[in-house]
Structure formats: structure tokens, C-alpha cells
Amino acid sequence: MHYTGTIWRPPYEASSLLLEVTAGCTHHKCKFCTLYDDIPFKFRMSPLEDVEADLKEAKRQFQSWKQYKIYRTFLTGANPFVLKYDRLMTIADLIKKYFPENQTIGCFSRITDVALKTDTELQKLGAAGYDGLTIGIETGDDEALKFMNKGYTSVDIVEQCKRLDQAGISYNFFYLTGISGAGHGEEGARLTAEVCNQIHPKLVGANMLTVFPESELYQEIQKGNWKEESEIEKYKELRTLVENLRIPVVFAAFGASNAIQMQGKLPDDKMKLLQFFDEIIESGNEEELRIYRKNLPHL
């Protein structure tokens, strides 16, 4: 298989076929991000012959597992949805050629990638199987989005996700706990809830910001331009987010960045989650949580 660098996928894509169609990130300017530093280039599209060769290899492998079927494929890379409509459709056709039972295709997407498609193109991509996109919106706090160089605003998040809603393409959000900085986390959480409440994410998945020395954000901290939240403050932030979400959605804090993992369905599990946060806030050990954060090799 033609895999480049570390392959990142959401936890819920564990059973999906991982197919590389891009490597790296077209944006590659977020101050906190170091995920693709092990790739010696910014961004690359995989040649279609490589994509087809990988599908052939996967087909041979899975044919030896007679009871195993591929029902979902996850396209790897930081934001494969940036690819033009025609190329995404060609990839969908190739997947169907080798895995006719495949039903849906997921991938990471930036908000700006959605904006590149017309409404008609989005509808046709949805009909071709593209669904369950994972979008790292990070926050609805415009000041934080600007400082971190995300390249879009909270208004853009709402506008583009409404277009996905209209096209019938579902999506999951990644929220970056701590992105607003010390003293601003709870306000950032409220602003994010305001954004989410206007649209229809299937899941809001929280990752906790971990600052690595090789990141641009680390340099900003050294210059005194930004201050990191404490670990307990991050849990206060998450509590505020859950408390203010008014839509039916799965909330989850899973993945390596979360020292304490949890999941619940809103609104049914809201009170249980809030009580759990209260326990962490009241009895959590800041020192132990910081040790966990410092020992993380990557997100």
C-alpha cells in the first residue's frame, strides 16, 4: 500500500478501508499543528495508478478473508475533500469497481474545501457515497481561529455546513479544547456551541490541545503572546460546551489527547456528562494530568 508518513484517522474509522489519495495538508499553517511534519512536502495528490494499485492489493488481501466485506472507505491525508469534483468521483468509481459492496466514503475536510464545490457537485458527491466527513472546526471563537491561522471564520463554518446539510452529506466535528487560551476557554466553548446549534453535526469530538516544542504556537508562548490553559480549566471548558449544546448530537472525548475519555448522546446523557465533569473539576489532580500531557509523543 502506498502510505506516506504517519496515517491519521478518527477513532470511529477503525473498521474502514484506509486508502491514500493525498498526503499532507493544503493549508499547513495552523500554529498548533505538527501532525504532518514527518512528510517532506506540504501536499501531494496520489497518482490514480497508485490508488488503483492499492485497491487491487486490498482486494487480494480481503479475498483471503472470505467473510470480510468492505462497506466503508476512509480516504487518508489531512484534507482529501479539497480534491476537485471530477477526481473525487473517479476515486468513488474505482472504489466501487473493486469493492462493489462499499456503501460510503469518508475523509477529513477543511471548511474551505466544501466552499470549492458547487451545490450540484456536493449533491452528486453525496449520491456517490461521500458521507460522514470529519471536519476539524476546532472552535467557534473567531479570535482564536484568526490567531491560530485556521483560514476561515465561524460564519464560514455555519454557511458551508448548511450546504452539506442540503446536499445530504453528514459530518462530524473535531473540537480543540484549549485553543482559546488561558482565561478564554469557557467563552470559546459557548461560541462553539452557538455555531453547532445552527447546524447538524452527527458528532462533536473533543481533542485536547497539546503544545509541542516544534510548533509555531510554542514560539508564541515563548514570546508571551499566548498562554496555555491548565488541565482543569480545559475540563471546565468542555463542561460549558456540553451544557450549551442544544442539538441532538453525540459528544465524545476520545483519542490519545484525552487523559480521561468519555462519550454520551445529547440530550439524553447531558446530566451524566455534566456530573462527570463536576467530579473531575472538583477532585482532578492538575499535576497528574499535566504529566500525562507532557508525556504525549503526539496527538
Side-chain angles (χ1 to χ4, degrees):
M1 302 291 284
H2 293 86
Y3 292 135
T4 305
T6 303
I7 300 302
W8 303 98
R9 60 149 178 84
Y12 44 80
E13 298 286 2
S15 62
S16 302
L17 171 64
L18 302 182
L19 181 66
E20 181 171 300
V21 300
T22 65
C25 178
T26 56
H27 186 64
H28 204 62
K29 296 177 182 176
C30 300
K31 291 184 179 179
F32 55 82
C33 186
T34 60
L35 290 183
Y36 301 95
D37 286 357
D38 61 343
I39 297 177
F41 49 80
K42 179 180 175 182
F43 177 81
R44 185 185 70 191
M45 293 189 300
S46 299
L48 288 176
E49 53 265 33
D50 287 356
V51 175
E52 186 162 16
D54 286 350
L55 285 166
K56 288 180 180 178
E57 182 178 342
K59 182 71 172 180
R60 288 194 299 270
Q61 178 63 50
F62 290 124
Q63 279 178 336
S64 66
W65 303 348
K66 295 182 180 180
Q67 303 301 316
Y68 197 91
K69 298 289 185 180
I70 293 295
Y71 296 108
R72 180 168 173 81
T73 298
F74 183 78
L75 309 181
T76 68
N79 59 322
F81 206 65
V82 74
L83 295 176
K84 291 183 178 180
Y85 164 79
D86 288 344
R87 195 173 187 89
L88 288 171
M89 291 296 283
T90 298
I91 290 169
D93 288 341
L94 285 172
I95 293 170
K96 209 68 175 176
K97 176 181 176 181
Y98 291 96
F99 294 98
E101 73 274 16
N102 191 87
Q103 297 174 356
T104 58
I105 304 168
C107 65
F108 287 122
S109 174
R110 283 176 48 79
I111 287 295
T112 51
D113 300 341
V114 180
L116 297 173
K117 277 73 176 174
T118 67
D119 290 344
T120 299
E121 288 174 341
L122 288 176
Q123 290 168 2
K124 290 182 177 179
L125 287 168
Y130 286 90
D131 195 39
L133 302 182
T134 295
I135 306 175
I137 63 165
E138 321 302 5
T139 183
D141 179 352
D142 281 323
E143 288 188 15
L145 289 171
K146 182 178 180 180
F147 180 79
M148 296 294 180
N149 289 334
K150 284 300 299 181
Y152 54 80
T153 67
S154 61
V155 170
D156 296 325
I157 297 172
V158 174
E159 179 181 346
Q160 298 307 321
C161 287
K162 282 184 175 180
R163 295 182 65 230
L164 289 176
D165 288 337
Q166 292 169 358
I169 297 176
S170 67
Y171 48 92
N172 305 304
F173 285 164
F174 275 179
Y175 173 76
L176 191 55
T177 317
I179 192 173
S180 294
H184 304 286
E186 290 188 76
E187 178 59 20
R190 279 188 284 269
L191 292 169
T192 303
E194 287 179 13
V195 167
C196 293
N197 289 339
Q198 298 176 63
I199 43 186
H200 302 92
K202 290 171 56 180
L203 174 142
V204 175
N207 293 310
M208 286 204 171
L209 176 62
T210 305
V211 183
F212 295 100
E214 57 269 28
S215 69
E216 185 178 350
L217 182 56
Y218 181 83
Q219 300 304 319
E220 294 283 11
I221 294 173
Q222 301 309 302
K223 296 174 185 176
N225 296 333
W226 193 85
K227 185 177 179 181
E228 189 176 3
E229 291 182 24
S230 70
E231 296 300 305
I232 297 299
E233 187 177 357
K234 290 174 185 174
Y235 284 102
K236 291 179 180 178
E237 176 181 340
L238 283 180
R239 188 193 191 285
T240 299
L241 175 63
V242 170
E243 184 176 29
N244 285 275
L245 285 171
R246 310 293 181 204
I247 54 172
V249 67
V250 173
F251 171 82
F254 43 36
S257 69
N258 294 284
I260 303 172
Q261 303 194 0
M262 66 198 76
Q263 181 172 330
K265 187 175 182 180
L266 303 181
D268 297 354
D269 299 325
K270 177 177 280 193
M271 290 310 300
K272 290 181 181 178
L273 286 168
L274 293 179
Q275 289 171 3
F276 189 41
F277 283 127
D278 286 340
E279 292 173 7
I280 296 170
I281 293 165
E282 181 178 346
S283 59
N285 187 308
E286 176 70 25
E287 183 178 351
E288 289 182 359
L289 291 170
R290 282 306 301 173
I291 290 173
Y292 179 86
R293 180 82 40 228
K294 289 179 180 179
N295 287 332
L296 269 181
H298 53 69
L299 292 182

